[in-house]
Amino acid sequence: MLQDTIAAISTAVGEGGIALIRVSGPDAVKTVHQLFRTKADIRTAPSHTVHYGHIFDPRSGEKIEEVLVTIMIGPRSFTAEDVVEISTHGGVISVKKVLDLVLQQEGVRLAEPGEFTRRAFVNGRIDLAQAEAVMDLIRSKSDKAFSIALKQVDGKLSRLIRELRQTVIELLAHIEVNIDYPEHDVEEMTNLYIKEQCFPLIEEIQRLLKTASEGKILREGITTVIVGRPNVGKSSLLNALAQDNRAIVTDIPGTTRDVIEEFVTVGGIPLKLLDTAGLRETADVVERIGVERSRGALQEADLILLVLNQAEPLHEDERELMESLHGRQVVVIMNKTDLPGQLDPEEISRLVPSAALVKMSVLQEQGQEQLEKAISELFFSGQLETTDHTYVSNARHIALLKQAMQSLEDAVDATESGIPIDIIQIDVRTAWERLGEILGDSAGDSLIDQIFSQFCLGK
Amino acid sequence: MSYDAGQFDVIVVGAGHAGAEAALAAARMGCETLLLTINLDMVAFMPCNPSIGGPAKGHVVREIDALGGEMGRNIDKTFIQMRMLNTGKGPAVHALRAQADKFLYQHTLKQTIEETPGLTLRQGMVEELIVEDGACTGVITKTGAVYRGRAVVVTTGTYLRGKVIMGELIYESGPNNQQPSIKLSECLRGLGFELARFKTGTPPRVHGDTIDFDKTEIQPGDPQPKFFSYETEFSDNEQLPCWLTYTTEQTHQIINDNLHRAPMFSGAIEGTGPRYCPSIEDKIVRFADKPKHQIFLEPEGKNTSEYYVQGLSTSMPEDVQLDILRSIPGMEKVEMMRTGYAIEYDAVVPTQLWPTLETKRVPGLFTAGQINGTSGYEEAAGQGIIAGINAARKVLGKEPVIIDRSQGYIGVMIDDLVTKGTNDPYRLLTSRAEYRLLLRHDNADMRLTPIGHEIGLISEARYERFLQKKDLVEQEVKRLKAERVRPEDENAQAMLAEGGSSPLSQVIDALSLLRRPELSYAQVERVCPSPLPLTEEMKEQVEIQIKYAGYIEKQLIQVERMGKMEKKKIPDDIEYQDVHNLSSESRQKLSEIRPLSIGQASRIAGVTPADISILLVYLEHYNRVVAARG
């Protein structure tokens, strides 16, 4: 922890037009080089130069973000170590993606609270008089980080990780007992056995990682737009959603429209409603559907709530709009069920096969449950109700889970190349340690405890 | 009633496996050394199993030998069986295990001690430590002999306030009915040491002529025995087999029926026993669903009929022990010669020691072996040699020797003990080492012989041989890297086909060939023989270094990272009360353990990374202030 390579987002989250990721330590340049495509090779670039390029995922080759990379070779840097700073466009998602990638590189870990400052101090960059202040900073930051970390590992996730770890440690103990008690009559540990034990673990971690993207949705809200012809009940729907769910309203002063986004929760799923100001303009007589003003919002949205007045036949505009929504996540709300119906649900399904149909009377507060169900089914393939979903949302957790999975995959590879069990054990142990870091558990003597509680050993 | 009995540099109390190594090391380093034991016939006695080595333990014996200690040489002279264990696994966990002729073992070691210049062996029970101005300056025996010394190493094994328990029978005793050491325990308590109460046990011994070996499975030694010592080249010791049998349902029934008489469960035993060698009654209660347990019958020597019944450690009453034995196939008519027993004893809580094994409380006083809460001859000997070395270094005015966790199991063990302490008798396991791949049986000399040489325990001639070996191994690795194997080479293609390895389509270097998991050095050697005069041992080194290079490299990187923390020393006058912002738990733990380095501090349970960060900043502050004062 003295001189390994560390990384963290060093701008306040959610503020400012750009975000900065700082990487410091002996492997800083090498690490960023692995992810960064630019004209010059930054490994040989002079100190204090800025490079334009893109961050790529080295595994998939996917382009992640357009960035500026600044190289500062130690000791002429904040920490007096080699420092690379990656400037990304502001916005939580892109900066987190880049940090995720950095943390997945070998030998890099997330900086501890106050660690850049501590390094700067230890390396002589900060004045002696500030020592106490630095210690205060570390204490307060780490206490805060600790309480945040506790909140981030929710009960379900920590229980799952604990179960995973328990399976891993039983496997480890089994390997160890074969090594330390070679003449003992326990089941012989073979490469095949290890491999078979690793597969379900890898699958489970993969499943957890899949929830990472869903977890992000949960945290940030599903980008949603409500569309429909005038007077079909859009505003009423918005009001109903907002009131019933105690919406969080973001005020952006200085605009003529008071509100451009609203957050509501429907059936536990947060929705970020776009362009709600438009919906509130009751005097907008010439409103046309799905074009011009709403077009931007429609493009951006992950979820489209199309409101129809089921008491009236389908309008040409509506038909046109529906045809353009092929393949999108759509919920068609057939509003005003308090009035006699004129709409044919089959026609709607023909027009937008991917759509879910919900009959509602917003006015009479009917059908909200069906709407909630439809939304959750769209996003979680209906699994939300039946299985216990656990969400991994924290960049650090994602990185650690990926590292744990990688170690288990390495172990499987090793079993296939006929590597001896005591060496495969190194990979399995790494997986166990990474999972432990998520919970803040240190290795300690628990492996030894496990060996002696699992196996009957004696002289 | 006391009298002046002489002046020494180093005094060692106790001549078991720890004491013997400590005394030999100190004397060989040029210190006038006294070795005291309660009973001269018990020097290097094996009160429990007649065997040495196995995983981690065998590694320690190799390390002792690489440092210039005696255990490896002594077992090589006196073994009656030698087996390399774990040969189907990776090279790091190959482990040599010997059955000893336990009588020959102790007599041979006693003779070595007697013949060592500068080493005085004497019978006497130490009852008091002389402490003047806070430092230990000598010992007083029961007979009133006052020995003065500049450093004292206490290795009391299980003798300290020892108590033997056999069913309802409990009496004060050391192991094997030896006199216990009562007053020394009181003296240590009087000096302010915190003592723990530990327990261990041993199985009964039986007469070999009354065993029906036909009902057991033979466990022979290796036809080509390997040796513990790097100095041993040849042995014509005759090997004796061990025998395997199992407990039966009847055995378990007898134990269950007599549990009310078992001191383990009646509350008669208060000491904490080792988890890894529970008594048979413990095993049957804790693992009730296991239908049978292994029992190994091990000969105790060439000139005795006694057999050690491994797996049957017990403190049941004598009559129950006999019933248990006779319920086991092959022992239906067995005669029991010695009864198994449990023994309770006092140990010093090892967090009261520096990593040098000197006590923090009393400078000049060192402790080693079971008194430090460990179990096992090898663990004792490993600490013994370090305590002996550091007692001698202290007398000679030299820097102490601390083996790093990346240098040896001895280092792992001592660091664990003094940093974390132990709740039950500590046994070494390979899984305690984080750098297992580096701490191999084969490379103990590479790791420790330079240290042994530097401190004067390894002779010039042996060091020369070591350097030569090292050099030849390096040369051979280079040669393999340069050597080209061509696809036209029919010999090579044939070897590959035979070894189940894919054929060559282009030129490849021999080193890459050896990296293939399915090929061995012996196979590669057939294709491109080495012009160097390599021994089998050297070839093994080459093979391991090349085959596991990737994994070894990974561990070396970890060692390097951790090494920076180990090198960051904490000054001994640091006051943790002055360090702002440490959590109170850390402050208390740090004040108690007084770690020598940031690395050691980071391993203390309860000290968080944030505390380490704060400590680093404080140290920087401290160093700058000290530097400014000049």
Side-chain angles (χ1 to χ4, degrees):
Chain A
M1 69 175 285
L2 277 179
Q3 279 175 19
D4 46 354
T5 301
I6 53 171
I9 299 170
S10 57
T11 41
V13 173
E15 291 168 23
I18 59 159
L20 196 68
I21 292 164
R22 182 180 281 154
V23 188
S24 177
D27 292 336
V29 180
K30 192 186 95 188
T31 301
V32 176
H33 168 78
Q34 286 161 351
L35 310 169
F36 183 51
R37 290 198 199 151
T38 184
K39 277 188 204 155
D41 186 337
I42 58 167
R43 289 174 301 179
T44 53
S47 186
H48 294 75
T49 52
V50 181
H51 306 264
Y52 167 81
H54 291 89
I55 294 290
F56 281 79
D57 183 337
R59 280 203 202 170
S60 64
E62 185 197 348
K63 191 191 282 187
I64 304 295
E65 175 72 347
E66 184 185 30
V67 296
L68 287 177
V69 163
T70 312
I71 309 286
M72 283 155 284
I73 305 298
R76 291 173 58 216
S77 70
F78 176 60
T79 56
E81 301 171 334
D82 288 356
V83 170
V84 179
E85 289 179 348
I86 308 171
S87 313
T88 70
H89 295 290
V92 181
I93 300 169
S94 62
V95 74
K96 275 199 174 159
K97 263 190 184 168
V98 176
L99 180 65
D100 275 358
L101 278 177
V102 171
L103 292 179
Q104 280 162 36
Q105 304 309 302
E106 197 167 318
V108 186
R109 60 170 173 81
L110 194 66
E112 288 156 24
E115 194 171 5
F116 290 112
T117 316
R118 186 196 88 209
R119 289 185 178 207
F121 180 83
V122 170
N123 293 330
R125 295 277 302 174
I126 295 180
D127 188 61
L128 185 56
Q130 294 176 33
E132 201 125 308
V134 173
M135 286 192 270
D136 286 343
L137 176 87
I138 293 168
R139 178 90 273 157
S140 68
K141 277 204 175 186
S142 79
D143 288 348
K144 193 172 155 202
F146 183 69
S147 73
I148 290 173
L150 273 186
K151 277 184 207 150
Q152 277 169 340
V153 187
D154 76 343
K156 270 189 236 160
L157 179 63
S158 68
R159 200 191 65 225
L160 261 175
I161 304 266
R162 256 178 253 283
E163 283 167 10
L164 273 174
R165 279 196 102 206
Q166 185 58 32
T167 317
V168 178
I169 203 176
E170 281 167 19
L171 174 62
L172 273 177
H174 201 156
I175 297 175
E176 296 297 355
V177 85
N178 266 261
I179 294 168
D180 276 323
Y181 293 86
E183 292 169 306
H184 211 80
D185 55 346
V186 293
E187 190 183 348
E188 200 194 325
M189 183 51 62
T190 60
N191 283 12
L192 185 67
Y193 183 91
I194 298 177
K195 192 168 138 181
E196 282 170 356
Q197 297 287 304
C198 284
F199 278 138
L201 290 166
I202 292 170
E203 274 170 29
E204 182 63 20
I205 298 179
Q206 268 169 345
R207 202 187 66 74
L208 270 175
L209 281 170
K210 249 186 227 157
T211 68
S213 56
E214 292 167 6
K216 193 187 81 201
I217 288 166
L218 278 194
R219 216 175 48 256
E220 288 162 8
I222 300 166
T223 317
T224 307
V225 65
I226 301 175
V227 291
R229 298 189 69 238
N231 296 321
V232 291
K234 300 193 295 282
S235 317
S236 321
L237 179 65
L238 173 67
N239 288 333
L241 292 177
Q243 276 163 18
D244 289 0
N245 299 289
R246 276 178 241 113
I248 307 152
V249 179
T250 337
D251 288 312
I252 312 274
T255 55
T256 49
R257 289 163 180 170
D258 285 335
V259 177
I260 57 163
E261 287 180 359
E262 283 187 35
F263 289 87
V264 301
T265 312
V266 177
I269 299 170
L271 305 184
K272 182 168 84 176
L273 295 173
L274 299 177
D275 197 31
T276 49
L279 292 177
R280 292 199 188 273
E281 281 174 24
T282 48
D284 194 348
V285 258
V286 285
E287 187 180 28
R288 290 199 44 197
I289 308 165
V291 279
E292 289 120 30
R293 209 202 59 222
S294 293
R295 184 177 288 158
L298 254 182
Q299 289 302 320
E300 210 183 314
D302 290 324
L303 173 65
I304 297 151
L305 302 180
L306 168 60
V307 187
L308 302 175
N309 180 352
Q310 66 100 45
E312 285 175 11
L314 214 54
H315 194 275
E316 194 49 40
D317 282 351
E318 290 170 330
R319 212 169 258 129
E320 212 175 275
L321 173 67
M322 282 195 262
E323 279 169 351
S324 76
L325 293 180
H326 265 284
R328 305 286 300 271
Q329 309 266 36
V330 185
V331 177
V332 176
I333 295 156
M334 298 168 65
N335 194 20
K336 309 197 181 179
T337 49
D338 46 313
L339 302 174
Q342 300 250 355
L343 279 183
D344 177 10
E346 280 182 25
E347 190 191 357
I348 296 168
S349 292
R350 256 200 321 280
L351 285 165
V352 203
S354 63
L357 280 183
V358 175
K359 291 186 178 171
M360 281 184 86
S361 169
V362 179
L363 206 65
Q364 302 201 341
E365 296 176 13
Q366 281 168 4
Q368 193 129 334
E369 271 171 36
Q370 282 94 310
L371 177 64
E372 287 172 8
K373 194 160 160 258
I375 292 173
S376 59
E377 272 179 4
L378 274 176
F379 273 85
F380 303 117
S381 320
Q383 290 176 26
L384 195 64
E385 289 177 329
T386 51
T387 64
D388 218 1
H389 251 62
T390 303
Y391 300 100
V392 186
S393 56
N394 177 297
R396 191 175 144 264
H397 299 165
I398 294 169
L400 288 168
L401 276 172
K402 284 189 178 165
Q403 286 169 6
M405 189 170 77
Q406 182 62 51
S407 297
L408 289 170
E409 284 169 350
D410 288 349
V412 169
D413 287 347
T415 60
E416 284 164 356
S417 349
I419 302 281
I421 59 165
D422 56 297
I423 293 179
I424 301 170
Q425 182 268 359
I426 297 174
D427 290 321
V428 180
R429 191 180 177 121
T430 305
W432 181 61
E433 284 167 0
R434 293 296 163 270
L435 292 173
E437 281 172 45
I438 296 177
L439 305 174
D441 286 356
S442 59
D445 287 331
S446 39
L447 176 57
I448 309 283
D449 294 339
Q450 181 66 35
I451 295 173
F452 294 121
S453 62
Q454 194 172 339
F455 297 100
C456 175
L457 306 161
K459 68 177 178 185
Chain B
M1 227 61 72
S2 62
Y3 73 101
D4 179 7
Q7 168 82 42
F8 292 87
D9 293 325
V10 175
I11 298 171
V12 180
V13 180
H17 304 282
E21 292 293 346
L24 284 167
R28 286 168 176 162
M29 287 166 72
C31 291
E32 275 304 318
T33 304
L34 171 68
L35 177 56
L36 286 165
T37 170
I38 294 174
N39 183 347
L40 265 191
D41 297 330
M42 301 297 281
V43 172
F45 179 68
M46 297 181 163
C48 199
N49 54 328
S51 77
I52 282 183
K57 289 167 170 274
H59 290 70
V60 167
V61 181
R62 292 281 276 181
E63 290 173 5
I64 291 168
D65 185 71
L67 283 168
E70 202 56 37
M71 188 174 241
R73 275 193 294 252
N74 202 58
I75 183 64
D76 285 351
K77 288 180 207 162
T78 59
F79 71 90
I80 49 173
Q81 187 190 99
M82 199 63 96
R83 270 184 84 183
M84 186 63 94
L85 306 174
N86 278 338
T87 48
K89 304 183 184 91
V93 297
H94 291 183
L96 199 54
R97 204 266 321 279
Q99 296 299 135
D101 183 317
K102 71 186 259 188
F103 303 103
L104 200 55
Y105 185 90
Q106 63 175 129
H107 296 150
T108 308
L109 194 56
K110 179 163 174 262
Q111 197 170 6
T112 303
I113 290 168
E114 287 164 348
E115 288 168 359
T116 299
L119 180 51
T120 304
L121 176 64
R122 204 159 288 175
Q123 183 163 296
M125 186 190 296
V126 170
E127 294 200 325
E128 197 182 327
L129 300 169
I130 305 170
V131 176
E132 292 165 328
D133 296 332
C136 190
T137 56
V139 301
I140 305 172
T141 68
K142 192 174 185 173
T143 52
V146 177
Y147 297 99
R148 292 279 169 176
R150 294 159 72 190
V152 175
V153 183
V154 174
T155 66
T156 51
T158 58
Y159 284 74
L160 212 53
R161 220 157 58 83
K163 197 159 89 176
V164 158
I165 300 138
M166 250 180 237
E168 298 85 357
L169 178 65
I170 298 175
Y171 56 97
E172 287 188 340
S173 173
N176 204 31
N177 283 345
Q178 293 297 304
Q179 283 187 69
S181 175
I182 310 287
K183 290 233 171 111
L184 189 55
S185 175
E186 287 162 16
C187 173
L188 285 167
R189 216 178 281 273
L191 288 170
F193 283 99
E194 187 190 341
L195 302 182
R197 192 81 175 149
F198 280 175
K199 171 241 150 192
T200 187
T202 194
R205 312 299 197 273
V206 297
H207 198 300
D209 294 353
T210 61
I211 301 174
D212 182 358
F213 289 111
D214 290 344
K215 293 189 177 162
T216 66
E217 253 172 72
I218 190 163
Q219 303 269 306
D222 291 342
Q224 288 291 326
K226 298 224 172 169
F227 306 113
F228 279 101
S229 174
Y230 286 93
E231 290 180 11
T232 311
E233 282 164 0
F234 169 80
S235 166
D236 55 4
N237 285 9
E238 187 200 341
Q239 295 200 58
L240 299 178
C242 295
W243 308 86
L244 172 62
T245 181
Y246 292 91
T247 58
T248 59
E249 259 179 55
Q250 198 198 339
T251 316
H252 297 205
Q253 192 59 50
I254 295 167
I255 291 168
N256 280 321
D257 289 348
N258 287 282
L259 277 183
H260 61 284
R261 297 180 66 195
M264 283 300 295
F265 303 100
S266 68
I269 291 183
E270 45 178 280
T272 313
R275 287 170 296 175
Y276 45 81
C277 54
S279 59
I280 186 72
E281 51 269 31
D282 214 9
K283 288 193 239 179
I284 280 161
V285 170
R286 278 177 54 207
F287 295 89
D289 53 343
K290 207 167 183 253
K292 59 178 188 176
H293 295 269
Q294 284 174 320
I295 301 293
F296 288 96
L297 302 170
E298 305 176 358
E300 296 228 307
K302 274 184 301 211
N303 302 314
T304 175
S305 297
E306 269 189 272
Y307 271 74
Y308 175 88
V309 186
Q310 199 230 80
L312 216 62
S313 173
T314 181
S315 55
M316 283 295 211
E318 196 170 80
D319 55 311
V320 180
Q321 291 194 25
L322 190 61
D323 288 348
I324 292 172
L325 285 169
R326 290 186 175 168
S327 70
I328 294 170
M331 294 205 280
E332 293 85 350
K333 295 184 175 136
V334 88
E335 286 302 328
M336 182 164 72
M337 293 178 74
R338 296 182 207 231
T339 316
Y341 58 87
I343 183 166
E344 274 188 358
Y345 56 97
D346 285 349
V348 165
V349 171
T351 49
Q352 298 170 100
L353 306 174
W354 298 112
T356 58
L357 296 181
E358 187 172 8
T359 64
K360 295 169 191 170
R361 189 169 285 280
V362 181
L365 177 65
F366 296 73
T367 56
Q370 260 168 312
I371 190 176
N372 287 346
T374 59
S375 152
Y377 313 140
E378 304 84 350
E379 285 89 342
Q383 292 168 69
I385 191 169
I386 296 300
I389 288 169
N390 284 328
R393 302 275 292 178
K394 185 172 176 113
V395 168
L396 298 169
K398 291 181 176 163
E399 284 290 299
V401 170
I402 297 169
I403 310 291
D404 189 83
R405 294 182 73 91
S406 62
Q407 285 178 310
Y409 279 96
I410 295 178
V412 171
M413 166 176 64
I414 294 177
D415 182 66
D416 279 350
L417 289 171
V418 304
T419 309
K420 299 180 190 154
T422 183
N423 295 324
D424 65 335
Y426 178 100
R427 179 210 206 269
L428 259 178
L429 298 160
T430 68
S431 33
R432 294 198 194 264
E434 56 275 60
Y435 313 119
R436 181 156 66 189
L437 198 47
L438 304 180
L439 307 185
R440 302 190 305 271
H441 177 86
D442 61 272
N443 70 352
D445 56 343
M446 300 287 164
R447 295 184 270 126
L448 297 171
T449 292
I451 297 176
H453 175 248
E454 198 194 316
I455 60 177
L457 285 178
I458 294 285
S459 69
E460 288 304 325
R462 178 166 165 189
Y463 190 57
E464 246 347 279
R465 279 204 308 280
F466 161 76
L467 289 180
Q468 211 171 28
K469 170 184 171 187
K470 203 173 154 201
D471 182 54
L472 281 168
V473 169
E474 280 165 19
Q475 279 189 49
E476 177 63 359
V477 173
K478 272 193 202 133
R479 180 192 76 89
L480 289 169
K481 203 169 183 178
E483 191 97 34
R484 298 277 174 269
V485 185
R486 297 173 191 286
E488 308 83 80
D489 186 339
E490 284 173 22
N491 201 359
Q493 299 286 26
M495 181 275 288
L496 290 171
E498 197 184 303
S501 195
S502 53
L504 293 184
S505 54
Q506 54 190 35
V507 181
I508 187 173
D509 58 87
L511 190 137
S512 306
L513 220 46
L514 187 49
R515 282 227 170 111
R516 295 185 177 184
E518 64 278 11
L519 295 181
S520 68
Y521 180 86
Q523 286 168 302
V524 175
E525 190 187 22
R526 266 167 43 202
V527 178
C528 50
S530 178
L532 302 167
L534 301 172
T535 62
E536 285 309 309
E537 218 183 34
M538 296 175 197
K539 290 175 184 176
E540 183 191 23
Q541 274 297 306
V542 171
E543 179 162 8
I544 293 168
Q545 284 186 18
I546 291 174
K547 269 207 160 1
Y548 302 101
Y551 287 95
I552 291 172
E553 185 61 28
K554 264 195 210 168
Q555 294 216 321
L556 283 174
I557 291 170
Q558 287 173 12
V559 171
E560 197 197 332
R561 283 209 188 120
M562 203 59 204
K564 287 170 184 155
M565 311 249 295
E566 305 295 342
K567 283 199 194 85
K568 202 103 184 167
K569 297 295 172 207
I570 302 177
D572 51 11
D573 56 347
I574 186 169
E575 281 299 335
Y576 290 100
Q577 297 306 326
D578 297 346
V579 186
H580 287 274
N581 277 310
L582 280 178
S583 73
S584 57
E585 186 190 1
S586 288
R587 200 189 302 270
Q588 185 242 322
K589 288 274 177 62
L590 288 163
S591 307
E592 182 193 324
I593 306 288
R594 304 199 67 74
L596 297 181
S597 67
I598 288 289
Q600 194 192 347
S602 70
R603 286 188 292 273
I604 299 173
V607 175
T608 65
D611 294 316
I612 294 295
S613 278
I614 287 166
L615 197 54
L616 279 169
V617 172
Y618 181 82
L619 284 184
E620 184 60 27
H621 178 231
Y622 179 95
N623 291 338
R624 284 196 224 169
V625 168
V626 169
R629 281 197 207 122

